[in-house]
Amino acid sequence: MAADKPHMNLAVIGHIDHGKSTTVGRLLFETGAVAQHVLDSYKKEAESKGKGSFEFAWVMDNLKEERERGITIDIAHKRFDTAKYYFTVVDCPGHRDFVKNMITGASQADAAVLVVAAPDGPMEQTKEHVFLSRTLGINQLIIAVNKMDAVQYSEKRFNEVKQQVTDLIKMVGFKPEETLFIPISSFTGVNVSKKSPETPWYNGPTFLEALDTLKEPEKPTDKPLRLPIQDVYTISGIGTVPVGRVETGLLKKGMKVSFMPANKEGEVKSIEMHHEEHAQAGPGDNVGFNVRGIAKNDIRRGDVCGPVDAPPTVAEEFTAQVVVLQHPSVLSVGYTPVFHCHTAQVACTFLELQKKLDPRSGQVKEENPAFLKAGDAAIVKIVPTRPLVIEKAKELPQLGRFAVRDMGSTIAAGIVLDIKAKQMR
Ligand code: GDP
């Protein structure tokens, strides 16, 4: 369909109830990815349950359910096309553990749309998601100031929210002057695909035009293959089929691959994308691939597939730069929260706090600090409690970043500076 258009993975972030699901539903609809009759049936269903104007959010809910039910690798539903790109929404907003989702989603995203409701302005999760996106390596952001209908399309309110969001994104290192702010209403469709008379004061691009101003991501095809596993299926008549997204390098039919830390090897027999067989897949491609020599239970989510001659790095210890987002008290040596890196979740211990840094300039403020608290940046040494594949951010940024979670909230995020690798053979 759009095979010749460049592909972009898009994360949709923002505070709960600010309209992420509705906005994605609206995008899918306005670009023709969801047909009017499908929307009508959702609308009827929503109305019968007394939830009148919910149809766009329902599009997302139904897709989510579908995904939970089936084992087919069907991402076509969350695809939509603009004039220049075809987009995949890498995350399913509305998921119960959205931040957790967002960590894996955002680490795969080429750009993010931040949805901020005009009546509320930026809130707690707005801040958290913006911070995470930045630390996880997203450097392109579009701000959708949503629910403009609920503030009578007020220019004054739009500018207030724009100023608040500008302050917020500047703090974490985004460039506000390079960031587009679009006043939209996902309910009424204002400024989504066409300029609307409701906002005569707005002269900028529509939401869809803004999406086309994003820069095409670089494709790290010359690097070794890294493919973090999301799921592993057994499909009758085919065999073991791991599923995941190629982060770097190329996956080719006939290739000998190694899965780490599982330390298993096999041969790629076939590769499937969008229900079609392909001879190879590259960065950004979501694939299912059949591997000979691997049983379903040999490998699991969190393992990473790479070439046998350049297998993924299993870390015995690593040094990282982290930024602490929030912590109920202070973070000190011995603390062992869960690290989320690509598709892996592994408890890791802070072994040394080496240097405290100025979060903006990166200058060393203190050697061997006794503890870290919210707002601090630091260089630390970490030990995983069980084998974990992680890479230096400089070499393979896609596999070199992580988020730190504890008791349901995000404590910190960071990038890997150096690794003491474990010998696997
Ligand atoms: P999410 O939690 O960010 O995914 O938010 P939802 O998309 O589920 O929307 C939250 C609530 O805001 C729902 O009641 C929506 O119907 C409502 N909503 C979403 N977009 C708009 C909008 O453009 N205008 C108004 N007035 N309400 C909206």
Side-chain angles (χ1 to χ4, degrees):
M1 153 168 88
D4 46 355
K5 280 187 196 172
H7 178 220
M8 293 279 272
N9 285 299
L10 192 68
V12 179
I13 61 176
H15 195 77
I16 185 162
D17 281 346
H18 280 205
K20 296 179 295 292
S21 303
T22 312
T23 301
V24 172
R26 171 59 77 176
L27 279 175
L28 295 180
F29 173 66
E30 299 253 343
T31 55
V34 174
Q36 181 67 51
H37 72 270
V38 177
L39 201 65
D40 286 345
S41 76
Y42 287 151
K43 189 171 185 168
K44 230 185 240 156
E45 200 177 335
E47 274 168 358
S48 75
K49 297 192 173 163
K51 296 182 174 181
S53 46
F54 261 102
E55 71 258 36
F56 289 112
W58 272 59
V59 171
M60 287 311 293
D61 284 351
N62 278 278
L63 294 180
K64 194 178 73 193
E65 259 174 47
E66 206 163 286
R67 218 178 46 163
E68 281 165 4
R69 248 188 290 123
I71 58 147
T72 50
I73 314 140
D74 197 351
I75 60 156
H77 285 310
K78 290 194 296 170
R79 268 182 63 159
F80 68 91
D81 282 54
T82 57
K84 188 168 162 198
Y85 291 118
Y86 81 88
F87 285 91
T88 304
V89 182
V90 292
D91 202 343
C92 195
H95 188 279
R96 231 178 322 127
D97 197 347
F98 184 66
V99 171
K100 201 159 111 192
N101 236 22
M102 155 147 183
I103 292 163
T104 41
S107 67
Q108 302 176 340
D110 303 307
V113 166
L114 170 65
V115 179
V116 184
D120 310 277
M123 292 175 71
E124 191 191 322
Q125 287 161 344
T126 315
K127 190 176 155 197
E128 187 180 30
H129 292 180
V130 165
F131 166 83
L132 275 173
S133 308
R134 183 66 191 174
T135 317
L136 297 173
I138 296 183
N139 46 32
Q140 306 196 72
L141 194 63
I142 289 177
I143 318 291
V145 179
N146 188 35
K147 307 196 187 183
M148 285 301 295
D149 58 300
V151 295
Q152 291 74 50
Y153 302 98
S154 156
E155 179 181 15
K156 182 165 167 284
R157 183 59 192 153
F158 173 74
N159 284 330
E160 282 166 6
V161 173
K162 183 174 172 181
Q163 188 55 52
Q164 290 166 350
V165 177
T166 297
D167 294 345
L168 174 65
I169 65 173
K170 212 155 126 186
M171 209 168 73
V172 302
F174 285 109
K175 296 200 177 82
E177 62 280 9
E178 289 173 12
T179 306
L180 292 170
F181 289 75
I182 306 135
I184 66 162
S185 164
S186 291
F187 258 16
T188 61
V190 160
N191 295 334
V192 174
S193 63
K194 45 189 180 303
K195 292 239 160 67
S196 306
E198 286 84 349
T199 52
W201 44 267
Y202 176 71
N203 301 313
T206 62
F207 194 9
L208 288 180
E209 286 166 352
L211 288 171
D212 275 347
T213 68
L214 292 168
K215 287 191 211 76
E216 198 176 332
E218 279 174 42
K219 299 278 178 208
T221 46
D222 52 341
K223 300 210 169 150
L225 171 72
R226 292 295 182 264
L227 198 177
I229 304 307
Q230 264 151 25
D231 266 309
V232 184
Y233 300 112
T234 316
I235 296 181
S236 60
I238 299 179
T240 305
V241 178
V243 172
R245 192 179 103 111
V246 178
E247 291 293 341
T248 58
L250 297 171
L251 178 75
K252 293 181 183 170
K253 205 169 150 172
M255 187 173 171
K256 293 239 164 50
V257 289
S258 158
F259 293 82
M260 291 291 174
N263 207 2
K264 298 280 178 201
E265 288 179 7
E267 186 185 331
V268 178
K269 300 308 290 178
S270 64
I271 302 170
E272 192 187 304
M273 268 187 276
H274 303 307
H275 300 301
E276 277 169 23
E277 245 197 88
H278 289 255
Q280 75 171 43
D285 290 334
N286 290 291
V287 297
F289 57 111
N290 171 229
V291 196
R292 183 154 61 192
I294 300 275
K296 183 178 191 291
N297 294 330
D298 284 346
I299 54 173
R300 61 176 63 83
R301 183 183 171 92
D303 283 336
V304 179
C305 173
V308 280
D309 53 355
T313 310
V314 180
E316 202 164 291
E317 294 178 355
F318 59 96
T319 310
Q321 182 170 329
V322 298
V323 184
V324 182
L325 174 65
Q326 55 181 346
H327 194 275
S329 56
V330 295
L331 185 162
S332 48
V333 167
Y335 182 48
T336 308
V338 177
F339 279 55
H340 296 245
C341 180
H342 52 88
T343 57
Q345 298 179 18
V346 172
C348 299
T349 305
F350 283 81
L351 189 67
E352 283 173 20
L353 307 181
Q354 297 179 337
K355 296 173 200 301
K356 194 147 107 182
L357 309 173
D358 183 313
R360 258 171 258 174
S361 67
Q363 300 270 351
V364 178
K365 280 206 307 198
E366 191 183 338
E367 298 283 345
N368 305 310
F371 59 85
L372 301 173
K373 55 180 177 27
D376 285 345
I379 294 180
V380 295
K381 190 184 270 185
I382 310 281
V383 194
T385 59
R386 60 183 171 81
L388 167 69
V389 165
I390 203 159
E391 305 283 357
K392 287 184 203 172
K394 229 189 215 156
E395 289 166 10
L396 295 166
Q398 295 79 359
L399 280 275
R401 33 179 116 100
F402 55 85
V404 181
R405 305 250 304 157
D406 191 16
M407 296 192 294
S409 58
T410 306
I411 302 298
I415 56 167
V416 179
L417 302 176
D418 207 1
I419 301 174
K420 183 172 163 199
K422 201 182 200 115
Q423 286 308 320
M424 299 302 285
R425 264 174 286 177

